[in-house]
Amino acid sequence: MKNHKLPLAVAIMGPTASGKTAAALAIGQLVPSEIISVDSALVYRTMDIGTAKPTASERASVPHHLIDIIDPTDSYSVAQFRAHTLRLVGEIASRGKLPLLVGGTMLYFKGLSDGLDDLPGANPTIRAELEAEAARLGWPAMHARLQALDAVTAARLAPNDAQRIQRALEVIAISGKPMSALLAMRAKTVLPFELRSFALEPSDRAILHARIATRCDAMLKGGDNGGLIAEVKALRARGDLHPGLPSMRCVGYRQAWEYLDGGIDQAALRETCIIATRQLAKRQLTWLRSMPERIVIDCLARAPAALILRHLKSPAKQGLVGAGLAAVD
């Protein structure tokens, strides 16, 4: 039996371009709410176009948290996200508002709901060795090695996901055990709030792909003098960033950096951005399928926000209604 005295928080998950922000903003117009970003790219300041960051007017209409909180030279861990989110949910609920956890970084959602792992800490020597091997063999070859050692972890990582492939191989080198086995031993955590999770998933994958292409075109609009390319030019001009940083590994930024290095032309930039974003969406959907507690909402429906509110207001869930939900028709 769930403890209905716990404050309610609502997660709105989904692949890129599924309309998560729009749904959250629509809910925010009907229910006193505040949005907690669950996006590993939105934490970076001055990275606005490639991350599809909510506009200033959108952020003014509904308060947002965990956006523009670190510099692109810095990193932001699952542990930091979890600590910040636990605090923010309590603060938002104390103000009589509904916390909306919105984003597509599934590792953050999993870290929040399942708790933190007991994986070994970073080992600079092993990391340097893995970096050297990757420079010689390429990250797809390192991914193939991970596949042989930890097929479960490799299955959820793209062959060029350097940061996570390196971490998984590092864990194996230190502990002698696959990361997936260590994570499976983790005890389930109990959250200090009731988290009801909704997943915006497409009933037609082709339409989501079309949305992704439209979003990529909008980001690249203006060519060398505007949009994403101009944004990455400005980031490169700082002189303290490089392609190995987590910020510059974000989808779109990695491809734009390669373009500015002369490695690909504009047509290839567009194509690789679309392909990389589709691959990201595929990985996000794979993560979502591993979350049986989620309530699936068709992101192509006419009003996903209304469907979410209808679920929250259904008689079976009346004990969870709060933060003004009862006043919503």
Side-chain angles (χ1 to χ4, degrees):
M1 197 78 175
K2 292 180 183 294
N3 180 0
H4 292 171
K5 293 182 180 179
L6 292 175
L8 170 66
V10 174
I12 302 178
M13 311 178 290
T16 185
S18 60
K20 299 180 293 295
T21 296
L25 290 170
I27 291 173
Q29 299 307 309
L30 298 170
V31 179
S33 309
E34 295 187 30
I35 294 172
I36 300 172
S37 170
V38 189
D39 190 305
S40 60
L42 294 188
V43 297
Y44 296 112
R45 292 187 289 268
T46 70
M47 292 174 57
D48 302 331
I49 298 171
T51 61
K53 194 169 287 180
T55 65
S57 61
E58 288 172 336
R59 292 162 68 176
S61 66
V62 180
H64 284 63
H65 304 274
L66 302 188
I67 294 179
D68 289 341
I69 59 173
I70 63 172
D71 188 79
T73 55
D74 299 326
S75 59
Y76 189 69
S77 68
V78 177
Q80 288 174 295
F81 166 78
R82 191 172 194 277
H84 289 161
T85 298
L86 290 175
R87 173 180 57 80
L88 285 166
V89 167
E91 292 174 355
I92 294 167
S94 72
R95 292 192 282 269
K97 294 185 177 182
L98 177 66
L100 298 174
L101 282 61
V102 183
T105 300
M106 302 307 161
L107 191 60
Y108 284 4
F109 279 117
K110 189 169 182 62
L112 177 66
S113 60
D114 291 357
L116 300 178
D117 55 58
D118 293 321
L119 298 179
N123 184 303
T125 301
I126 293 175
R127 288 197 169 188
E129 291 172 355
L130 291 170
E131 287 277 5
E133 285 188 78
R136 187 173 70 255
L137 303 174
W139 284 109
M142 303 297 280
H143 183 268
R145 179 188 299 178
L146 179 62
Q147 174 69 35
L149 298 171
D150 184 357
V152 173
T153 299
R156 62 178 177 80
L157 301 181
N160 286 308
D161 193 344
Q163 183 180 4
R164 292 184 176 88
I165 294 170
Q166 181 191 57
R167 176 57 177 156
L169 289 171
E170 178 189 37
V171 167
I172 294 170
I174 296 171
S175 69
K177 297 178 181 179
M179 177 184 282
S180 58
L182 294 175
L183 293 177
M185 295 167 59
R186 177 174 52 194
K188 185 78 173 180
T189 190
V190 177
L191 292 172
F193 51 86
E194 185 69 42
L195 181 64
R196 187 156 297 276
S197 299
F198 294 88
L200 299 184
E201 301 178 27
S203 54
D204 186 338
R205 192 78 64 89
I207 296 178
L208 181 67
H209 288 174
R211 284 187 179 182
I212 287 171
T214 299
R215 173 176 285 191
C216 288
D217 285 338
M219 289 178 176
L220 294 171
K221 188 175 181 179
D224 286 3
N225 299 313
L228 178 61
I229 298 175
E231 185 170 81
V232 177
K233 272 185 178 179
L235 289 166
R236 285 164 62 103
R238 289 174 36 149
D240 59 348
L241 301 176
H242 58 82
L245 289 169
S247 60
M248 295 300 103
R249 288 176 180 169
C250 291
V251 170
Y253 291 88
R254 182 170 65 247
Q255 290 76 23
W257 194 290
E258 184 181 3
Y259 166 77
L260 291 170
D261 275 344
I264 54 176
D265 60 18
Q266 280 204 13
L269 170 60
R270 177 183 184 273
E271 182 180 0
T272 56
C273 278
I274 291 173
I275 291 172
T277 309
R278 284 184 179 181
Q279 290 172 338
L280 171 61
K282 182 178 180 181
R283 293 195 300 275
Q284 290 168 319
L285 288 167
T286 299
W287 271 97
L288 287 168
R289 286 194 292 271
S290 72
M291 299 177 175
E293 73 282 0
R294 79 197 192 283
I295 298 170
V296 177
I297 301 290
D298 184 3
C299 69
L300 308 179
R302 187 172 63 86
L307 296 176
I308 292 172
L309 288 173
R310 189 177 305 164
H311 274 281
L312 292 172
K313 284 179 58 62
S314 66
K317 303 174 182 70
Q318 283 300 306
L320 296 177
V321 172
L325 285 173
V328 180
D329 292 331

